[in-house]
Amino acid sequence: MSAELTALDCKPWGKATIREVIDAPLHGGERGMLRLTVAGLLVLILGQKLAFPPTIELSFYTSFALAIVLLLWRKGAIDPARMLGYVASMAVCILVTVTSPLHPAFSITAIMYLVIIHMPFMLVVPVRRTFYLKLLRIFMMIGMVVATLVYVQWAQQLVGMRMINLEDYIPKPFLYVGYNYIQKLDYFSQYYKPNAFLMLETSHTSQTLAIATLIELCLFRRMLIVAYMLIAQLVTFGGTGMLLIVVTIPFVLRYLSLRLVLTGMIIFPIALIVAAQVGVLDNALGRSAEFDKPGTSGNGRFVNHFVIAAKSASLDADHALFGIGAGQVSPFVNDSTTVFLPLSKLTVEYGLPAALLFFAWMTYCFFTAGVPMVVTWPLLILFNLIGGTLLIPINTYYCLFLTAMFVPNRATAFTQARLFRRDRLPRIASHVIAGEASETR
């Protein structure tokens, strides 16, 4: 990374225009690094249905390979604090498994996958803010493709065509298994929820569009594109995407002008009426009513896994401290709708101390990269409360690409100097100070 910081690098989040981001030059190896990262994002988002073997997504290999390349290319380094947290978390998970007084059966494969899949989170790649904004812009372009595919799928259905099924064209040994790729709007409906052809299921489509909508609204502010993405997100009928937007509203407000907030207050009632007419509101209310109904998707995704974790930890001290064994199924699981999230899964399998230590480490990785909260917060919620992502690369590496690996904050210059070239520190610090001084004028 060049030590020369530009005006764009010193601008606060949300103050740069999309034209400034497009026109800003990249320096040296930044171009090659961006191309590699974009290739990883494309596989992660648009290739998430691909796997080999069927239980391991293609994006696991490509994302892990990207981290190794960046490390060998000396674009990044292992952060000591992150490494300490990683080693401690993984060591505790392994130790409680092999020393448990319960002597549980355990899956070596599950332990190895836990250790390997989270290894890239130790890597820190200092970048200029320009690089990160360009990465987000390309993510937005991918989001536009996803939104367009959603509209195409609805157009197909509304004219009476059968929605294209990706599973008809890819050999089964290369398809990721375990997801409801095709879902009806409801049991009696003739229509199916759009999944943008390439996504694992509707919820993943909805989540991608929600994150893209938040980024566009707060950082690039092109309102036509915001509307294009938001409408596509709504007509996926995926509740998790809407939930991500709702829980991020407190962080969104600081990016919006008073005029835009007032406009939103006027438009919101109209949007509710439209949502009610097309069935989006009924769908959302129906899903929320499932929370207290065992055997439903809402209960299994948001409630039951925590209930199971609490029951398992309350059996006795050994179950609370050591868990039932890596990769083992809790005897309290009594339906197929339960989706275990990282904290509940770790509590059941490895015990509460290991779960809390892992949660603390991952949270540290999220919040020390210095990316905007409108990116960090929804991905933190997605990882911990929605996605069921502990051993699933798609949402885990969303977090790696957008909130953990690249460090674009103003401390980047200091980090770069500390990790690579200490002799540059005075020069780089002067650039940062000059940039801050220009903002205050």
Side-chain angles (χ1 to χ4, degrees):
M1 183 185 79
S2 171
E4 300 294 335
L5 299 179
T6 66
L8 179 58
D9 297 321
C10 298
K11 281 193 172 184
W13 297 115
K15 297 300 183 182
T17 66
I18 190 66
R19 177 46 55 187
E20 288 178 304
V21 175
I22 293 171
D23 292 342
L26 292 174
H27 303 311
E30 288 181 325
R31 293 184 184 88
M33 187 163 65
L34 185 61
R35 291 190 187 102
L36 284 175
T37 305
V38 168
L41 263 181
L42 285 170
V43 174
L44 181 69
I45 300 173
L46 302 182
Q48 59 188 252
K49 189 64 179 167
L50 303 177
F52 186 79
T55 55
I56 301 180
E57 285 180 287
L58 179 62
S59 60
F60 166 73
Y61 305 107
T62 54
S63 301
F64 200 90
L66 173 65
I68 293 175
V69 169
L70 292 176
L71 184 62
L72 295 179
W73 197 6
R74 301 186 66 183
K75 296 297 181 181
I78 302 299
D79 180 79
R82 291 194 189 187
M83 181 178 68
L84 180 63
Y86 169 80
V87 171
S89 300
M90 298 303 112
V92 169
C93 287
I94 294 172
L95 285 174
V96 297
T97 300
V98 300
T99 63
S100 173
L102 298 171
H103 303 293
F106 60 87
S107 167
I108 295 178
T109 301
I111 296 175
M112 290 180 59
Y113 204 30
L114 175 70
V115 170
I116 294 173
I117 197 174
H118 296 100
M119 197 176 291
F121 282 86
M122 292 187 290
L123 180 66
V124 168
V125 182
V127 295
R128 294 187 302 128
R129 190 167 295 203
T130 296
F131 177 95
Y132 185 73
L133 287 171
K134 284 183 177 289
L135 178 62
L136 290 185
R137 173 179 170 260
I138 293 171
F139 175 79
M140 287 304 308
M141 294 168 66
I142 298 172
M144 289 285 288
V145 171
V146 172
T148 301
L149 293 176
V150 167
Y151 292 128
V152 169
Q153 285 186 309
W154 268 117
Q156 283 184 310
Q157 295 189 83
L158 292 175
V159 298
M161 293 177 60
R162 175 180 176 268
M163 199 167 70
I164 294 176
N165 188 338
L166 186 67
E167 296 185 349
D168 293 338
Y169 302 95
I170 297 178
K172 286 188 177 181
F174 299 98
L175 286 172
Y176 195 48
V177 298
Y179 284 84
N180 295 323
Y181 179 68
I182 299 293
Q183 300 166 276
K184 282 190 172 185
L185 288 182
D186 58 59
Y187 185 79
F188 300 101
S189 177
Q190 62 176 318
Y191 297 115
Y192 292 85
K193 296 180 180 181
N195 55 20
F197 299 119
L198 306 170
M199 315 294 266
L200 281 173
E201 62 181 19
T202 297
S203 62
H204 290 85
T205 309
S206 171
Q207 293 154 14
T208 299
L209 293 172
I211 295 167
T213 300
L214 291 166
I215 291 173
E216 184 63 48
L217 176 63
C218 297
L219 302 184
F220 300 137
R221 305 179 307 282
R222 296 171 293 180
M223 300 314 296
L224 286 178
I225 293 182
V226 170
Y228 189 81
M229 305 293 290
L230 181 59
I231 293 171
Q233 192 280 319
L234 289 172
V235 298
T236 63
F237 290 83
T240 53
M242 203 64 236
L243 179 60
L244 288 180
I245 292 176
V246 170
V247 299
T248 311
I249 287 176
F251 303 103
V252 170
L253 294 177
R254 68 179 296 268
Y255 291 93
L256 306 182
S257 66
L258 179 60
R259 179 181 177 184
L260 194 57
V261 172
L262 292 175
T263 303
M265 292 174 65
I266 296 172
I267 294 175
F268 182 69
I270 300 173
L272 278 180
I273 294 172
V274 174
Q277 291 298 315
V278 300
V280 173
L281 191 59
D282 288 341
N283 181 267
L285 293 174
R287 291 297 298 274
S288 63
E290 293 178 355
F291 292 165
D292 60 351
K293 296 179 180 178
T296 62
S297 175
N299 180 268
R301 183 181 287 269
F302 295 104
V303 178
N304 198 43
H305 59 94
F306 284 126
V307 173
I308 292 171
K311 287 180 178 179
S312 182
S314 62
L315 282 175
D316 53 48
D318 288 342
H319 280 84
L321 295 175
F322 297 93
I324 65 172
Q328 302 306 298
V329 179
S330 170
F332 296 110
V333 175
N334 54 14
D335 61 66
S336 59
T337 62
T338 301
V339 178
F340 280 93
L341 302 180
L343 190 59
S344 55
K345 183 176 177 65
L346 286 165
T347 299
V348 170
E349 296 183 13
Y350 298 93
L352 193 56
L356 294 176
L357 182 59
F358 178 89
F359 175 77
W361 172 65
M362 282 296 290
T363 303
Y364 175 84
C365 293
F366 275 57
F367 284 98
T368 53
V371 305
M373 280 296 290
V374 291
V375 181
T376 299
W377 185 253
L379 284 172
L380 183 73
I381 298 298
L382 177 62
F383 182 81
N384 287 299
L385 296 176
I386 294 178
T389 58
L390 184 65
L391 302 181
I392 308 298
I394 172 61
N395 288 340
T396 301
Y397 287 146
Y398 253 140
C399 305
L400 179 71
F401 278 93
L402 298 181
T403 68
M405 185 163 62
F406 296 106
V407 183
N409 58 341
R410 288 194 179 169
T412 295
F414 174 78
T415 305
Q416 177 77 353
R418 177 171 59 83
L419 290 176
F420 297 105
R421 296 180 61 177
R422 296 179 183 272
D423 61 302
R424 278 181 158 177
L425 179 56
R427 180 185 177 194
I428 296 172
S430 67
H431 280 291
V432 175
I433 294 171
E436 292 179 341
S438 66
E439 280 187 28
T440 60
R441 288 200 292 269

